[in-house]
Structures are given as C-alpha cells and as structure tokens.
Amino acid sequence: MDKNSFLAFYEEAGYRVVDSFTYSDIKLFLMRNRPKTAHRVLYFAIMLLLLFFIGFMIGSMWKQTGEAGQFWLAIGGSIIFALVGCVILIPVHEFIHWLVYRNEGAADVRFGAIWRSFAFYAAAHNFLADYKTFKRIALAPLYLLSALLCLLLLFPMPLWSKVAVALVLLFHLSSCSGDLMMLSYMSRYKHRCVFTVDDVDNRFTYFLEKQS
C-alpha cells in the first residue's frame, strides 16, 4: 500500500493528520520537539551522577591496582566488556518494545535501523496507539533494563566489571532519549483523541486525531 492509500484509509475512517515525519528525519523531528526544560535538566542530572559514579569507581580502581600497567589492563577489560554489553543491549531493548507491542495487540511489528542517525527501532505497522498505550511501549525497556543493570551493580564483582556495567547503563539511558522525547511529544495530546501510527512500508510516522 502506498502512502496516499494508507492515509486515505484513515481519512475515510474519520481521522486527520496533525503531524508526521519520515524515518530519515526522526532526529530533526525530535530536536524540534524537545521535552520541557525541567525534564531535560532531570535527565542530564541523572546522566551526570552516573558519570560521577563511573569516575569514582575508576579512581578507586587506580588505587586498588597500584601500578599503571594493571590499571590500563583493567580499563581495557571494562571497555571491551562494555562494548559487548552495548551490542547485546540494542536487540534486547527493541525486543522488549516488540513484546509490549504484541501485548497491546499489534500484529505486524518490524525491526529496522536508520544508519545515518545510528537509530534502531521496533515499529508496529498500521497500529494505532494513544498516549497511554504509547507510554507503556516507550518506557518498558527503560524501566526493565535500568532495573536489571542497577541490580547487577549491587552484586559482588571486581571494580573493572562494575565500571563496564555502569558504562552499559550510561549507554542504555542515552539510547532511551529518543523514546523519552517521542513520549514527551505525545504528552501534549494526552487529553485529545490523538494516536500515533507507523506506515513502515513507506517509512512514515503519523499523528492522527479522531474527529467527532
């Protein structure tokens, strides 16, 4: 189904387009619709605290190793394990989106990547999601993976491995920024009958309002 036919179907059903973007322009769309200042401050404060925690652990690791060779070996191990963890995290993050989409009733959920923006997605083709539904879909990976990684930090393990887990957590929080910005955008419509729907075939996302 081409773009015009896709839109015509919803227009005939009583919907009108209030906004849209192409997948290739998703970062520009999100930057134009950034969250409120208070939310951005809270997000960056959490990221800074995590960076401080990582720095503190690296300082402790320096004191613990006692010599430059062992320290840099430990740092190298942290980076390698963090990179492996980040590679694993990407499909797990999208798989959680997939699970919640399916639980909400989406029949055709697809995975993809926008390499120019280094963005990965799980999108439900032709599935209408209102604010509350989208909120559950958007926040599921943030809550589940953040809780898992924070619990992992509580387990007894060498400092270098704790640094690796903290780096993965930092990457995870930064990779959730797109979900959070999209949710912030959808929140402006939470008191209106507005839905988001993906036309994956034509790589478009629409925001449709049901007309009374």
Side-chain angles (χ1 to χ4, degrees):
M1 184 184 295
D2 62 26
K3 174 187 172 184
N4 292 333
S5 300
F6 185 90
L7 286 177
F9 171 82
Y10 283 101
E11 288 169 357
E12 290 173 6
Y15 293 89
R16 71 177 184 90
V17 177
V18 295
D19 211 341
S20 66
F21 64 85
T22 64
Y23 285 13
S24 59
D25 290 336
I26 186 170
K27 285 203 170 181
L28 291 175
F29 175 82
L30 293 175
M31 290 305 295
R32 288 197 305 268
N33 298 284
R34 288 179 294 176
K36 296 177 182 177
T37 302
H39 294 161
R40 294 205 305 271
V41 169
L42 176 61
Y43 177 77
F44 285 117
I46 292 171
M47 297 288 278
L48 284 173
L49 282 173
L50 184 54
L51 281 170
F52 177 80
F53 178 62
I54 292 171
F56 174 78
M57 286 194 296
I58 290 174
S60 299
M61 199 159 58
W62 170 256
K63 291 180 180 178
Q64 191 179 81
T65 54
E67 62 177 61
Q70 289 183 349
F71 171 75
W72 288 112
L73 189 63
I75 288 291
S78 297
I79 292 172
I80 291 170
F81 272 79
L83 288 173
V84 172
C86 291
V87 170
I88 294 171
L89 191 78
I90 292 170
V92 172
H93 178 112
E94 302 308 332
F95 180 69
I96 293 171
H97 280 314
W98 180 86
L99 285 175
V100 183
Y101 264 125
R102 293 304 300 267
N103 187 62
E104 294 292 339
D108 185 4
V109 186
R110 308 179 196 177
F111 301 100
I114 307 163
W115 294 108
R116 189 178 71 178
S117 303
F118 196 68
F120 303 89
Y121 63 85
H125 180 67
N126 204 18
F127 174 73
L128 288 170
D130 61 8
Y131 170 73
K132 289 183 179 179
T133 301
F134 185 80
K135 184 177 182 180
R136 290 191 290 270
I137 296 165
L139 294 182
L142 174 64
Y143 289 159
L144 290 174
L145 292 176
S146 296
L148 179 63
L149 290 168
C150 287
L151 284 173
L152 196 56
L153 283 171
L154 297 177
F155 278 82
M157 62 177 73
L159 266 178
W160 68 266
S161 56
K162 283 184 179 285
V163 170
V165 173
L167 287 171
V168 173
L169 178 58
L170 184 69
F171 172 79
H172 166 61
L173 292 176
S174 64
S175 67
C176 286
S177 61
D179 293 330
L180 293 173
M181 284 191 281
M182 186 70 81
L183 180 62
S184 176
Y185 174 78
M186 277 292 289
S187 70
R188 70 179 64 181
Y189 300 121
K190 61 184 175 182
H191 300 302
R192 292 165 57 182
C193 197
V194 172
F195 301 83
T196 180
V197 61
D198 280 294
D199 177 5
V200 183
D201 289 341
N202 299 295
R203 298 174 68 82
F204 263 87
T205 294
Y206 297 99
F207 300 92
L208 307 174
E209 184 168 26
K210 181 68 172 177
Q211 301 179 85
S212 55

